[in-house]
Structures are given as structure tokens and as C-alpha cells.
Amino acid sequence: MASLWEYANPRKFMALSGGLLPWVSAGAALCLVVGLVWGFFFTPDDYRQGSTVKIIYLHVPSALMAINAWFMMLVASLIWLIRRHHVSALAAKAAAPVGAVMTLIALVTGAFWGQPMWGTWWAWDPRLTSFLILFLFYLGYMALWSAIENDDTAADLTSVLCLVGTVFAVLSRYAVNFWNQGLHQGASLSLDKEENVADIFYFPLLVAIAGFVLLFVALVLLRTRTEIRLRRMRALVMREQIS
Amino acid sequence: MDLKVSDLSVARGGRTLLETVGFRVAAGRALALRGPNGIGKTSLLRVLAGLQPPRTGRVDPGPDAIAYAAHADGIKPSLTVAENLRFWARVFGGPDISTALEAYALAPLASRPAAYLSAGQKRRLGLARLLVTNRPVWVLDEPTVSLDRDAVALFAESVRQHLSQGGLAVIATHVDLGLDAETLDITPFRPARPRIDPGFDEAFA
Amino acid sequence: MIALLLRDLRLAVRAGGGFGLAIAFFLIVVTLVPLGVGPASGLLEEIAPGILWIAALLASLLSLDRIFALDFDDGSLDLLATAPLPLEGLVAIKALAHWITTGLALSLAALLLAPLLALPASAYLWLLLSLLLGTPALSMIGAFGAALTVGLRRGGLLLSLLVLPFYVPVLILGAETVRRGAQGLDPTTPLLLLAALSCGTIALLPFASAAVLRINLR
């Protein structure tokens, strides 16, 4: 029986991801264009916030992916630690810069939104602060990867860092709540329908989120493929050297 | 107690250095490992000491029976000779340090801070540590570096003493210690074709 | 284990880098802040809890790389790893030694430095308690960071980058305790959470740190 783990083999992963990548990329482009154009040009202005509300189509999806990217790294790190699949470790490595950029996008679009709404680019609000802290975690994770020469050691150490970091990132999130109640509005989306934003904003937002998810998957696939090629290249060079 | 090593393969930095290493050292015997630089003696000894996991194979008994000494002696310069040694004695639950000090002629230096020792004296202190570990198997990596002829004699005598008490030793060295030791050249254990450790990059190449 | 603790303490005292350096650094930071923000006692009073905690945190950060790096360089760590001593215990003991030479010393020194920042008298007890209960977490997290970077040549800066985000919850809860104390509010909630955080790190991080050390030694 074919097992899911077969795709942990680099060769199989390359074949599968090579086939998937164009489709995922096209899907991402389509969803992003539809979601953003719909959101930007075919939804009404909010009666209080005016057209600034439309930053939501960039802000919410990027914030969502900033957190989910870390979550994906956590899962990939666990798979590496438990099952020792190299592709998993490389996927975690590949996801980190994407997640960091998503965090940065969420912070920057948040600043553009906050400026007209709260009259300030930045406030030490719990959500904003915890995103900044999340960004620092991403930086530390990437710095550790780049500091260690041996690939397996780097994968092991960054995986443990990711695990422990997750715990502390969650702790920070709640500790920050303690420290300041904040300006930021409540969650824009939840499964409980009553709290959601109005339908007219909701559907284009869902499409934009789908676009960001696909974009993230496409970028991670691409970067993982690059990492695998890099490893393959170094393995070949090493083989040349010792024979 | 015998030391049994079977089917051991040793990798370093993703390269398999040695394959199917097997030997047996009986209690009271010493084994001298030989081989050119870079062959993997240090890696092999680290595997024996349990510091580095082997690629395959096993070492019996495990690291709990083994005292390891390598290039770095683990000496704290701000502690005196006696303090350094007493620390290791307490960590390993070993005997009183006076025998160890005597065996390496360190007694006159006992209260001197290790920072003021010469390289050879530091080495003697590092080797004296073996006597307070209370462990039957000594795994030594180039123990005679920077020792003068008298000190080498002290070392050889200490090993002989250890063997006569039922201990055993695996020593990587290029010096003839005058011990009644078997010699094992590990060059034949080098992989026939140089190859990359399969766990490491095989899947990628 | 006790032998190891005593050795680490003795080394810290003899090398002159233990008690003295961290406290001197603490004093300097506390001196520099009023020079930077101006001497108005109202402002200082308001920021004193945060400044004292940040200064303590940085002072504790300063000596983290010594927890394992020196032992790694001179080979002691290899020998300790082969010793009949669980690596988890080794990490815990080393963190404890670090705490005694920095955290404990800083907690006491903070009481002497608090008047310099016009901290209200009602907050002194809470400052001492929050530092006593919070700095063990700093040392334990620091030991984890030090274990992660032990084999690296330029580990010092990376260590700060890795460890400081982990310090966030400790800093928030610790400073909040003191701030509430200074304002006459009830500081027990953040203080208890801080204690819980310390207990949690002491219970779990030795295992993560030992795993990381094993990886770095192999």
C-alpha cells in the first residue's frame, strides 16, 4: 500500500512537487487577483472606516499565514525529529523566511491601517506586540539555521528551537494580554457567524485568504525544491571530492 | 570484563570513515590502534566512549564502563591540581586522589593552580583523572602528546597497573609504550570505495 | 552533582566574572537610564519597575555564554557527558550555579539600586519577590540558549537573538508585579504566574537542553 511517507523521499517529492507547483501557483495567482480586485474595487466603503477598510484583504490573510507558517514549521520539525525525513526539515527551513515576510506584511499593512484609524502608525497593543515578537522568533530561527554548518545538526537544533519557541510564543501572547488591553478590534473571522464581518466583505476576504494559502504553499514548495537541489549539489560535490 | 566491538561503522561529517570494525580486548590486555592521520581514530574512540552514535554495530559494555581521555584535558586553569582532580573523583565517585597524584608525580604540584602548569604537566593531570574514574575500560586518544620520556614511563607504568587489576585499555598512539599490547591497524576498515553516509546525503545524490 | 555545583561556583568566584561583573553591569545600566531620560523623579518613579527588570535581564544575559562554552572549549563537557551524571541534571545544576551567581545576586542588589530610580517603598518587597521567583526562569532559558549555541564560534550575538524573545513573558510578568506593587494594586496574580513560569521552565527545559547538548557533542 502506498504510504504518505513515500513522499518524504526527496526524489518522489521532487516529482510530485514539480507536477503540483504550476497548478498551485496558478491557483494562487487566480485567487489573489479575484479576491483582491473584488475586495478593492467591488465592495462598498465602510461607513465608519471609509476605503481604508480594504486593507483587510491584505492584512487578515497575511496575519493568518504568519501564524500558520509557524505552525507548519512546528509540524515539519516534529516529523523530522520523530521520523528523520530530510525533506521535512528542509520544508521547515524553507517556510521560515516566507512566514517572516508574512509577519512583516501583516505588521506593515497594520501600520497603514492604524494610521488613519487610531491616528498612529504603531501602538503597543497586544496583537501588534505579539506579532513583533513572532517576527523575532522567526529571525532567531533563521539565524540558527544559517549559523550551523552541519545540515543534520542544524535541522536537529532548529527543530528543538521551534518546539520550545512555540511554547514561549504562546506564553508571550497571553503575557502580553496581561500587560495592555489594547486598541485592536476583535477577530475578523470566526466560525461563530455572528461575530464576523458583514457578508459583503466576507466572501472576497475568503478568496483572498485562499490566495494567500496557495501562495504560501507554492513558495514553500519552490523553496523546498531549491533546498533539495542545493543539498543534492553539495552531495555530488562531496562525492567528487572523496573519490 | 572484556570489551567487544562488533560490526561498527563510524561516520563523521556525513562521510563513512570506517566500516565493519570488530575487535575484542580481554580483561588485563591493552590494544594499540594504529593508522594514518585522518583515518578516523578519534571518531572511533568517541563512538566507543558513547559521545557519538555509531552508524551501525555495537560496543559492549556501554559507555558507563568507559573512561575517555582525549586531546583536551578538561582542566580548569583557576583551580589547583588537587581541586581539579578531586572534582573528577567526586563526579565519578572514584577513590581518594592521593594515589593518582603519586602515580603521575603530581603530589608536589597539588596546590598549584593549573594555569601555571606546563603542557606536559597538564597532560599528566589529565591522565591522572583516569585513576579516579573507577572505570575498567580506558579509551585514550594520543595520550603521550607533550609528555617527556620520564612522563611516558609514568604513564606506561600506570597503564600496566590498571591492566594488572583486571582493567583494559584501547590506546590510539604512535609511540611504543613498551607495553605488552596487541596492535590493530585500522586502515583495512576504511570503506573499499569512498562513500557518503547513506543516512546523510545518499537520498539527495 | 553537588561537586559540579561547587566547582561552578568556585570558578565563577575565582575568575572574577561571577558575582562582581553582573552586578557592576546592573549598576551601570541603572545609572545610565536617568542620564538618558532626565532626572525628573516622577518619570523615573513610573519607569523604575521596567528599568530594574530590563537591567536585571540584560545582566543575566551577559554571562550566559559561559555556562557551557568554557567547558566545551577545554573538553570538560565531553568528559562530563561520559560521567555517571544525567545530562539533564548537569544542565539543571549549571543553570542553578548561573542563577546563584547572577539571579540571586541581582535580586539582592536590586533592592540597593531601587532608590536611585525613586521606586516607591511599597514596591520593594514585590521587586525582591518578583526577581527571586523570575530570575530562575531567566537562567534556565539561558542555559537552553547556551546549549543551542555551544559549538558555534560567533555564538554570543546569536545567543542574545535567540534568548531575548524567550524572556518576554518573564519580563512582562515581573515588571507588572513591581508596577502593581508601586501603584498599590494587588500584585499576587502576575507574581504567581511568574512563579508558575519558573516552575514550568525548570521542569521541562533541562530535557530540551540536554537533547540539544547531545546533538552538539556528537
Side-chain angles (χ1 to χ4, degrees), chain A residues 102-121:
Chain A
M102 290 290 179
T103 317
L104 211 54
I105 294 176
L107 285 170
V108 170
T109 54
F112 284 138
W113 199 353
Q115 211 286 325
M117 288 304 108
W118 305 332
T120 171
W121 296 101

Side-chain angles (χ1 to χ4, degrees), chain A residues 45-46 53 57 94 138 171 222 237:
Chain A
D45 290 353
D46 185 77
V53 74
Y57 301 111
Y138 274 120
L171 282 176
L222 184 67
V237 168

Side-chain angles (χ1 to χ4, degrees), chain A residues 74-94:
Chain A
L74 172 65
V75 174
S77 300
L78 278 173
I79 294 175
W80 161 251
L81 286 179
I82 297 168
R83 300 200 50 132
R84 315 294 295 175
H85 292 312
H86 286 87
V87 173
S88 183
L90 291 179
K93 182 184 184 185

